[in-house]
Coordinates of all heavy atoms in Angstrom, one line a residue:
M1 N 57.6 155.9 -135.7 CA 58.3 157.1 -136.1 C 58.2 157.0 -137.6 O 58.3 156.0 -138.3 CB 59.8 157.1 -135.6 CG 60.9 157.2 -136.6 SD 62.5 157.3 -135.8 CE 63.0 155.6 -136.0
K2 N 58.2 158.2 -138.3 CA 58.3 158.3 -139.7 C 59.7 158.9 -140.1 O 60.1 159.9 -139.6 CB 57.1 159.2 -140.3 CG 57.2 159.3 -141.8 CD 56.1 160.1 -142.4 CE 54.7 159.3 -142.3 NZ 54.5 158.4 -143.4
L3 N 60.3 158.2 -141.0 CA 61.7 158.7 -141.4 C 61.5 159.3 -142.8 O 60.7 158.9 -143.6 CB 62.6 157.5 -141.5 CG 62.9 156.7 -140.2 CD1 63.7 155.5 -140.4 CD2 63.5 157.7 -139.1
Y4 N 62.4 160.3 -143.1 CA 62.5 160.9 -144.4 C 63.9 160.9 -144.9 O 64.8 161.3 -144.1 CB 61.9 162.3 -144.2 CG 62.2 163.2 -145.4 CD1 61.3 163.3 -146.5 CD2 63.4 164.0 -145.6 CE1 61.5 164.1 -147.6 CE2 63.6 164.8 -146.7 CZ 62.6 164.9 -147.7 OH 62.9 165.6 -148.7
R5 N 64.1 160.7 -146.1 CA 65.5 160.8 -146.7 C 65.3 161.5 -148.1 O 64.3 161.2 -148.8 CB 66.1 159.5 -147.0 CG 66.5 158.8 -145.7 CD 67.0 157.3 -146.0 NE 68.2 157.4 -146.7 CZ 68.8 156.3 -147.3 NH1 68.1 155.1 -147.3 NH2 69.9 156.3 -148.0
L6 N 66.3 162.2 -148.5 CA 66.4 162.8 -149.9 C 67.5 162.1 -150.5 O 68.7 162.4 -150.2 CB 66.5 164.3 -149.9 CG 66.6 164.9 -151.3 CD1 65.3 164.6 -152.1 CD2 66.9 166.4 -151.2
L7 N 67.3 161.2 -151.4 CA 68.3 160.5 -152.1 C 68.8 161.4 -153.3 O 67.9 161.9 -154.0 CB 67.8 159.2 -152.7 CG 67.3 158.2 -151.6 CD1 66.7 157.0 -152.2 CD2 68.3 157.9 -150.5
T8 N 70.1 161.6 -153.5 CA 70.6 162.4 -154.6 C 71.7 161.6 -155.3 O 72.4 160.8 -154.7 CB 71.1 163.7 -154.1 OG1 72.1 163.5 -153.2 CG2 70.0 164.5 -153.4
G9 N 72.0 162.0 -156.5 CA 73.1 161.5 -157.2 C 73.1 161.9 -158.7 O 72.2 162.6 -159.1
P10 N 74.2 161.5 -159.4 CA 74.3 161.8 -160.8 C 73.2 161.1 -161.6 O 72.6 160.1 -161.2 CB 75.6 161.4 -161.2 CG 76.0 160.3 -160.2 CD 75.3 160.7 -158.9
D11 N 72.8 161.6 -162.7 CA 71.8 161.1 -163.6 C 72.4 159.9 -164.3 O 72.8 160.0 -165.5 CB 71.3 162.1 -164.5 CG 70.2 161.5 -165.5 OD1 69.6 160.5 -165.1 OD2 70.0 162.1 -166.6
D12 N 72.5 158.7 -163.6 CA 73.1 157.5 -164.2 C 72.4 156.3 -163.4 O 71.7 156.5 -162.6 CB 74.6 157.5 -164.2 CG 75.2 157.5 -162.8 OD1 74.5 157.3 -161.8 OD2 76.4 157.8 -162.7
A13 N 72.9 155.2 -163.8 CA 72.3 154.0 -163.2 C 72.5 153.9 -161.7 O 71.7 153.3 -161.0 CB 72.9 152.7 -163.9
S14 N 73.6 154.5 -161.2 CA 73.9 154.4 -159.8 C 72.7 155.0 -159.0 O 72.4 154.6 -157.9 CB 75.2 155.0 -159.4 OG 75.2 156.4 -159.6
F15 N 72.2 156.1 -159.5 CA 71.1 156.8 -158.8 C 69.9 155.9 -158.8 O 69.2 155.7 -157.8 CB 70.7 158.2 -159.4 CG 69.6 158.8 -158.8 CD1 69.6 159.3 -157.6 CD2 68.3 158.8 -159.4 CE1 68.5 159.9 -157.0 CE2 67.2 159.3 -158.9 CZ 67.3 159.9 -157.6
C16 N 69.6 155.3 -159.9 CA 68.4 154.4 -160.0 C 68.6 153.2 -159.1 O 67.6 152.8 -158.4 CB 68.2 153.9 -161.4 SG 67.8 155.2 -162.6
H17 N 69.8 152.7 -159.0 CA 70.1 151.5 -158.0 C 69.9 152.0 -156.6 O 69.4 151.3 -155.7 CB 71.5 151.0 -158.3 CG 71.6 150.1 -159.5 ND1 71.1 148.8 -159.5 CD2 72.1 150.4 -160.7 CE1 71.3 148.3 -160.7 NE2 71.9 149.3 -161.5
K18 N 70.3 153.2 -156.3 CA 70.1 153.8 -154.9 C 68.7 153.9 -154.5 O 68.3 153.4 -153.4 CB 70.8 155.2 -154.8 CG 70.8 155.8 -153.4 CD 71.3 157.2 -153.5 CE 72.8 157.2 -153.8 NZ 73.3 158.6 -153.6
V19 N 67.8 154.4 -155.4 CA 66.4 154.4 -155.2 C 65.8 153.0 -155.1 O 65.0 152.7 -154.2 CB 65.7 155.3 -156.2 CG1 64.1 155.2 -156.0 CG2 66.2 156.7 -156.2
T20 N 66.2 152.1 -156.0 CA 65.6 150.8 -156.0 C 66.0 150.1 -154.7 O 65.2 149.4 -154.1 CB 66.2 150.0 -157.2 OG1 65.8 150.7 -158.4 CG2 65.8 148.6 -157.2
A21 N 67.2 150.2 -154.3 CA 67.6 149.6 -153.0 C 66.8 150.1 -151.8 O 66.4 149.3 -150.9 CB 69.1 149.8 -152.7
A22 N 66.5 151.4 -151.8 CA 65.7 152.0 -150.7 C 64.3 151.4 -150.8 O 63.7 151.0 -149.7 CB 65.7 153.5 -150.8
V23 N 63.7 151.3 -151.9 CA 62.4 150.8 -152.1 C 62.3 149.4 -151.6 O 61.3 148.9 -151.0 CB 61.9 151.0 -153.5 CG1 60.6 150.2 -153.8 CG2 61.7 152.5 -153.8
N24 N 63.3 148.6 -152.0 CA 63.3 147.2 -151.5 C 63.6 147.0 -150.1 O 63.4 145.9 -149.5 CB 64.4 146.4 -152.4 CG 63.8 146.1 -153.7 OD1 63.0 145.1 -153.8 ND2 64.2 146.8 -154.8
K25 N 64.1 148.0 -149.4 CA 64.2 148.0 -147.9 C 63.0 148.6 -147.2 O 63.0 148.8 -146.0 CB 65.4 148.8 -147.5 CG 66.8 148.2 -147.8 CD 67.9 149.0 -147.3 CE 69.2 148.3 -147.5 NZ 70.3 149.1 -146.9
G26 N 61.9 148.8 -148.0 CA 60.7 149.3 -147.4 C 60.4 150.7 -147.4 O 59.4 151.2 -146.9
W27 N 61.3 151.5 -148.0 CA 61.0 153.0 -148.2 C 60.0 153.2 -149.3 O 59.9 152.4 -150.2 CB 62.4 153.7 -148.5 CG 63.3 153.7 -147.3 CD1 64.2 152.7 -147.0 CD2 63.5 154.7 -146.4 NE1 65.0 153.1 -145.9 CE2 64.6 154.3 -145.5 CE3 63.0 156.0 -146.2 CZ2 65.0 155.1 -144.5 CZ3 63.4 156.7 -145.2 CH2 64.4 156.3 -144.3
H28 N 59.3 154.3 -149.2 CA 58.2 154.6 -150.2 C 58.6 155.9 -150.9 O 59.0 156.8 -150.2 CB 56.9 154.7 -149.6 CG 56.5 153.4 -148.9 ND1 55.9 152.3 -149.6 CD2 56.6 153.0 -147.6 CE1 55.7 151.4 -148.7 NE2 56.1 151.7 -147.5
I29 N 58.4 155.9 -152.2 CA 58.6 157.2 -152.9 C 57.7 158.3 -152.4 O 56.5 158.0 -152.1 CB 58.3 157.0 -154.4 CG1 59.2 155.9 -155.0 CG2 58.4 158.3 -155.2 CD1 60.7 156.2 -155.1
Y30 N 58.2 159.5 -152.2 CA 57.5 160.6 -151.7 C 57.5 161.8 -152.6 O 58.7 162.3 -152.7 CB 58.0 160.9 -150.2 CG 57.2 162.0 -149.6 CD1 55.9 161.7 -148.9 CD2 57.6 163.3 -149.6 CE1 55.2 162.7 -148.3 CE2 56.8 164.3 -148.9 CZ 55.7 164.0 -148.3 OH 55.0 165.0 -147.7
G31 N 56.5 162.0 -153.3 CA 56.6 163.2 -154.2 C 57.3 162.9 -155.5 O 57.7 161.7 -155.8
S32 N 57.4 163.9 -156.3 CA 58.1 163.7 -157.6 C 59.6 163.9 -157.5 O 60.1 164.5 -156.6 CB 57.5 164.8 -158.6 OG 56.2 164.7 -158.7
P33 N 60.3 163.2 -158.5 CA 61.7 163.3 -158.5 C 62.1 164.8 -158.9 O 61.3 165.5 -159.5 CB 62.2 162.3 -159.5 CG 61.0 162.1 -160.4 CD 59.8 162.3 -159.5
T34 N 63.3 165.1 -158.6 CA 63.8 166.4 -159.0 C 65.1 166.1 -159.9 O 65.8 165.2 -159.9 CB 64.2 167.3 -157.9 OG1 64.6 168.6 -158.3 CG2 65.3 166.7 -157.0
Y35 N 65.3 167.1 -160.8 CA 66.4 167.0 -161.8 C 67.0 168.3 -162.1 O 66.2 169.3 -162.4 CB 65.7 166.4 -163.1 CG 66.6 165.9 -164.2 CD1 67.5 164.8 -163.9 CD2 66.5 166.4 -165.4 CE1 68.3 164.3 -164.9 CE2 67.3 165.9 -166.5 CZ 68.2 164.8 -166.2 OH 69.0 164.3 -167.2
A36 N 68.3 168.5 -161.9 CA 68.9 169.8 -162.1 C 70.3 169.7 -162.6 O 71.0 168.6 -162.4 CB 68.9 170.5 -160.8
F37 N 70.8 170.7 -163.2 CA 72.2 170.7 -163.7 C 73.1 171.3 -162.7 O 72.9 172.3 -162.1 CB 72.3 171.6 -165.0 CG 73.6 171.7 -165.6 CD1 74.2 170.5 -166.2 CD2 74.4 172.8 -165.5 CE1 75.5 170.6 -166.8 CE2 75.7 172.8 -166.1 CZ 76.2 171.8 -166.7
N38 N 74.2 170.5 -162.4 CA 75.2 171.0 -161.4 C 76.3 171.7 -162.2 O 77.1 171.0 -162.8 CB 75.7 169.8 -160.6 CG 76.7 170.2 -159.5 OD1 77.4 171.2 -159.7 ND2 76.8 169.4 -158.5
S39 N 76.3 173.0 -162.2 CA 77.2 173.7 -163.0 C 78.7 173.5 -162.5 O 79.6 173.7 -163.3 CB 76.9 175.2 -163.1 OG 76.9 175.8 -161.7
A40 N 78.9 173.2 -161.2 CA 80.2 173.0 -160.7 C 80.9 171.7 -161.3 O 82.1 171.7 -161.5 CB 80.2 172.9 -159.2
T41 N 80.0 170.7 -161.5 CA 80.6 169.4 -162.0 C 80.2 169.2 -163.5 O 80.8 168.3 -164.1 CB 80.0 168.3 -161.2 OG1 78.6 168.2 -161.3 CG2 80.4 168.4 -159.7
G42 N 79.3 170.0 -164.0 CA 78.9 169.8 -165.4 C 78.0 168.5 -165.6 O 78.0 168.0 -166.7
V43 N 77.4 168.1 -164.5 CA 76.6 166.8 -164.6 C 75.2 167.1 -164.1 O 74.9 167.9 -163.2 CB 77.2 165.8 -163.6 CG1 76.4 164.5 -163.5 CG2 78.7 165.4 -164.0
M44 N 74.2 166.4 -164.8 CA 72.8 166.4 -164.3 C 72.7 165.6 -163.1 O 73.3 164.6 -162.9 CB 71.9 165.9 -165.4 CG 71.8 166.8 -166.6 SD 71.2 168.5 -166.4 CE 69.5 168.2 -165.9
Q45 N 71.9 166.2 -162.1 CA 71.8 165.5 -160.8 C 70.3 165.2 -160.6 O 69.5 166.0 -161.0 CB 72.2 166.5 -159.6 CG 73.7 166.8 -159.6 CD 74.5 165.7 -159.2 OE1 75.5 165.4 -159.9 NE2 74.2 165.0 -158.1
C46 N 70.0 164.1 -159.9 CA 68.7 163.6 -159.7 C 68.5 163.6 -158.1 O 69.4 163.5 -157.4 CB 68.4 162.2 -160.1 SG 68.6 162.0 -161.9
G47 N 67.2 163.8 -157.7 CA 66.9 163.7 -156.3 C 65.5 163.0 -156.2 O 64.6 163.2 -157.0
Q48 N 65.3 162.2 -155.2 CA 64.1 161.6 -154.9 C 63.9 161.5 -153.4 O 64.7 160.9 -152.7 CB 63.9 160.2 -155.5 CG 62.7 159.5 -155.3 CD 61.4 160.2 -155.8 OE1 61.3 160.4 -157.0 NE2 60.5 160.6 -154.9
A49 N 62.8 162.0 -152.9 CA 62.4 161.9 -151.5 C 61.8 160.5 -151.3 O 61.0 160.0 -152.1 CB 61.5 163.0 -151.0
V50 N 62.1 159.9 -150.1 CA 61.5 158.6 -149.7 C 61.2 158.7 -148.2 O 61.8 159.5 -147.5 CB 62.5 157.4 -150.0 CG1 62.7 157.2 -151.5 CG2 63.8 157.6 -149.3
V51 N 60.2 158.0 -147.9 CA 59.8 158.0 -146.4 C 59.5 156.5 -146.0 O 59.3 155.6 -146.8 CB 58.5 158.8 -146.2 CG1 58.7 160.3 -146.4 CG2 57.3 158.3 -147.0
K52 N 59.6 156.3 -144.6 CA 59.4 155.0 -144.1 C 58.8 155.1 -142.7 O 59.3 155.9 -141.9 CB 60.7 154.2 -144.1 CG 60.6 152.7 -143.6 CD 61.9 152.0 -143.8 CE 61.8 150.6 -143.5 NZ 63.0 149.9 -143.6
D53 N 57.9 154.3 -142.4 CA 57.4 154.2 -141.0 C 58.1 153.1 -140.3 O 58.2 152.0 -140.8 CB 55.9 153.9 -141.0 CG 55.0 155.1 -141.5 OD1 55.3 156.3 -141.0 OD2 54.1 154.9 -142.3
V54 N 58.6 153.4 -139.1 CA 59.2 152.4 -138.2 C 58.6 152.3 -136.9 O 58.5 153.4 -136.2 CB 60.7 152.7 -138.1 CG1 61.4 151.7 -137.2 CG2 61.4 152.8 -139.5
D55 N 58.0 151.2 -136.6 CA 57.3 151.0 -135.3 C 58.2 150.7 -134.2 O 59.3 150.0 -134.4 CB 56.2 150.0 -135.4 CG 55.1 150.3 -136.3 OD1 54.8 151.5 -136.4 OD2 54.5 149.4 -137.0
G56 N 58.0 151.2 -133.0 CA 58.7 150.8 -131.8 C 60.1 151.5 -131.6 O 60.8 151.1 -130.8
V57 N 60.3 152.5 -132.4 CA 61.6 153.2 -132.3 C 61.3 154.7 -132.2 O 60.4 155.2 -133.0 CB 62.5 152.9 -133.5 CG1 63.8 153.7 -133.5 CG2 62.7 151.5 -133.7
D58 N 62.0 155.4 -131.3 CA 61.8 156.9 -131.2 C 62.9 157.6 -132.0 O 64.0 157.1 -132.0 CB 61.8 157.3 -129.8 CG 60.7 156.8 -128.9 OD1 59.5 156.7 -129.5 OD2 60.8 156.5 -127.8
Y59 N 62.5 158.7 -132.6 CA 63.5 159.5 -133.4 C 64.5 160.1 -132.4 O 64.2 160.6 -131.4 CB 62.8 160.5 -134.2 CG 63.7 161.5 -134.8 CD1 64.4 161.1 -136.0 CD2 64.0 162.7 -134.3 CE1 65.4 161.9 -136.5 CE2 64.9 163.6 -134.9 CZ 65.6 163.1 -136.0 OH 66.6 164.0 -136.6
E60 N 65.7 160.0 -132.9 CA 66.8 160.8 -132.2 C 67.7 161.4 -133.3 O 67.8 160.8 -134.4 CB 67.7 159.8 -131.4 CG 67.0 159.2 -130.2 CD 68.0 158.2 -129.5 OE1 69.2 158.3 -129.7 OE2 67.4 157.3 -128.8
P61 N 68.2 162.6 -133.1 CA 68.9 163.3 -134.2 C 70.2 162.5 -134.7 O 70.6 162.7 -135.9 CB 69.4 164.6 -133.5 CG 68.4 164.9 -132.5 CD 68.0 163.5 -132.0
G62 N 70.7 161.6 -133.9 CA 71.9 160.9 -134.3 C 71.6 159.6 -135.0 O 72.5 158.9 -135.4
I63 N 70.3 159.3 -135.3 CA 69.9 158.1 -135.9 C 70.5 158.0 -137.4 O 70.6 159.0 -138.1 CB 68.4 158.0 -136.0 CG1 68.0 156.5 -136.2 CG2 67.8 158.9 -137.0 CD1 66.5 156.3 -135.9
K64 N 71.0 156.8 -137.8 CA 71.5 156.7 -139.1 C 70.4 156.2 -140.0 O 70.0 155.0 -139.9 CB 72.7 155.7 -139.1 CG 73.4 155.6 -140.5 CD 74.6 154.7 -140.4 CE 75.3 154.6 -141.8 NZ 76.3 153.7 -141.8
L65 N 69.8 157.0 -140.8 CA 68.6 156.7 -141.6 C 68.9 155.5 -142.5 O 68.0 154.7 -142.8 CB 68.2 158.0 -142.4 CG 67.8 159.1 -141.5 CD1 67.4 160.3 -142.3 CD2 66.6 158.8 -140.6
S66 N 70.0 155.4 -143.1 CA 70.3 154.4 -144.0 C 70.3 152.9 -143.4 O 70.3 152.0 -144.1 CB 71.6 154.6 -144.8 OG 72.7 154.6 -143.9
D67 N 70.3 152.9 -142.1 CA 70.2 151.6 -141.4 C 68.8 151.1 -141.5 O 68.6 149.9 -141.2 CB 70.6 151.8 -139.9 CG 72.1 151.9 -139.7 OD1 72.9 151.6 -140.7 OD2 72.5 152.2 -138.6
Y68 N 67.9 151.8 -141.8 CA 66.5 151.4 -142.0 C 66.1 151.2 -143.4 O 65.3 150.7 -143.8 CB 65.6 152.4 -141.3 CG 65.8 152.5 -139.8 CD1 66.6 153.4 -139.2 CD2 65.1 151.6 -138.9 CE1 66.9 153.4 -137.8 CE2 65.3 151.7 -137.6 CZ 66.2 152.6 -137.0 OH 66.4 152.6 -135.7

């Protein structure tokens, strides 16, 4: 099965740590990062898609992606 996640967060070290943790768990960067201003909070937001192949497991809508 191929898994997809879109990691998001404020433009600070916590976002970089989130992406770094995913990469160290075997997730791969997918595409370019995104960067936008959140006018509701007044904070710049980042986003990065990541993907991962998992053998021997079938996809189910209730799967908790962060467990992988």
